[in-house]
Each structure stands twice: as C-alpha cells, then as structure tokens.
C-alpha cells in the first residue's frame, strides 16, 4: 500500500495531472482495505506484453471490490479570485471496478526468479455501480 501511495502521489503532483485551477494536491491518507482482488482470467502470451525472447506476456483481468478502501486528498486552488477560498478535502471511500493489466515478466534462474516485471493498464478501468 505504501508503494502504491508513493506512485499515486507522484502522478497526482505532476502538472499534466492537475486541473488548471488546482495549485496543490496532497495525499492525506490511502489504504486499499482488506479485500483481495478477484482474478477473473489470466491469459499468457496476450496483450501489449506479448511473449518475446526471454520475456513472458501475461494479461490479468481483475475485479476490485474495495468497500473499505480510503483515499483522501487535500486540494488548494491557484487563481487569485479563488485565493480566499479554503482548501478542499476530497475522499473516496468505496470503489468497485474492473481492470485489465498487461504484465511483462523477465525470468531469471536465480532467486527471486524474476529479473523485471512491467505492469500497465491494458484499457481504461470500468467502475461498477
């Protein structure tokens, strides 16, 4: 959860990720909750990371039922007319979504038997209602 939070914070603070009127984004808290993802399917040699040379491509479809997850962000606005407005706290506390991940695994004969692992979204996640 800490590694995901660090990556999420990096993505949120990038200039291209923020709306124009938001000057500052801070990750106040983040947890994925207790529920593990549900694996719907695993396909080898599929997706963007097709098996090539010494790497193995794997596509994994997951359902995330994060009813006890928590994501809390602090937002501060940048334009002068909004300078007197207080900061805003945004909280996401319940999220169910389906996502498809492309994995590219490069094995090695030595422990831990994986020399690299690339993970990317195969398509935009869909949010379940």
């Amino acid at each position: 959860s800490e590694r995901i939070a660090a990556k999420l914070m990096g993505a949120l603070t990038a200039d291209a990720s923020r709306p124009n009127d938001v000057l500052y984004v801070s990750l106040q808290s983040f947890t994925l909750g207790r529920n593990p993802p549900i694996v719907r399917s695993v396909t080898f040699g599929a997706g963007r990371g097709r098996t090539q040379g010494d790497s193995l491509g794997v596509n994994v479809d997951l359902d995330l039922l994060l009813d006890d997850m928590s994501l809390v962000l602090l937002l501060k606005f940048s334009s002068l007319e909004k300078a007197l407005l207080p900061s805003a706290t945004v909280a996401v506390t319940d999220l169910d979504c389906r996502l498809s991940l492309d994995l590219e695994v490069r094995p090695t004969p030595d422990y831990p038997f994986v020399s690299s692992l690339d993970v990317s979204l195969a398509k935009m996640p869909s949010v379940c209602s």
Side-chain angles (χ1 to χ4, degrees):
S1 214
E2 289 177 22
R3 283 186 166 172
I4 294 172
K7 291 289 186 183
L8 182 61
M9 194 59 215
L12 289 171
T13 56
D15 288 338
S17 299
R18 286 193 319 263
N20 291 337
D21 290 338
V22 175
L23 173 67
Y24 174 78
V25 178
S26 175
L27 182 64
Q28 299 295 303
S29 66
F30 175 70
T31 179
L32 287 173
R34 297 182 304 261
N35 299 331
I38 298 169
V39 178
R40 297 177 48 82
S41 70
V42 176
T43 309
F44 292 93
R48 193 177 64 127
R50 298 194 195 295
T51 302
Q52 296 177 3
D54 63 346
S55 68
L56 172 65
V58 181
N59 178 269
V60 180
D61 290 322
L62 301 171
D63 280 347
L64 298 177
L65 306 175
L66 305 175
D67 58 350
D68 60 346
M69 65 88 64
S70 172
L71 170 67
V72 180
L73 301 172
L74 175 67
L75 306 176
K76 293 187 180 180
F77 302 99
S78 63
S79 70
L80 291 176
E81 74 182 56
K82 295 180 182 177
L84 299 177
L85 291 177
S87 58
T89 301
V90 177
V92 177
T93 57
D94 186 359
L95 179 67
D96 294 343
C97 66
R98 179 168 290 169
L99 56 108
S100 181
L101 298 176
D102 279 339
L103 311 175
E104 186 175 339
V105 181
R106 287 192 181 87
T108 182
D110 301 319
Y111 183 81
F113 309 112
V114 174
S115 64
S116 71
L117 172 65
D118 295 328
V119 179
S120 61
L121 286 171
K123 58 186 174 187
M124 186 67 87
S126 60
V127 177
C128 305
S129 53

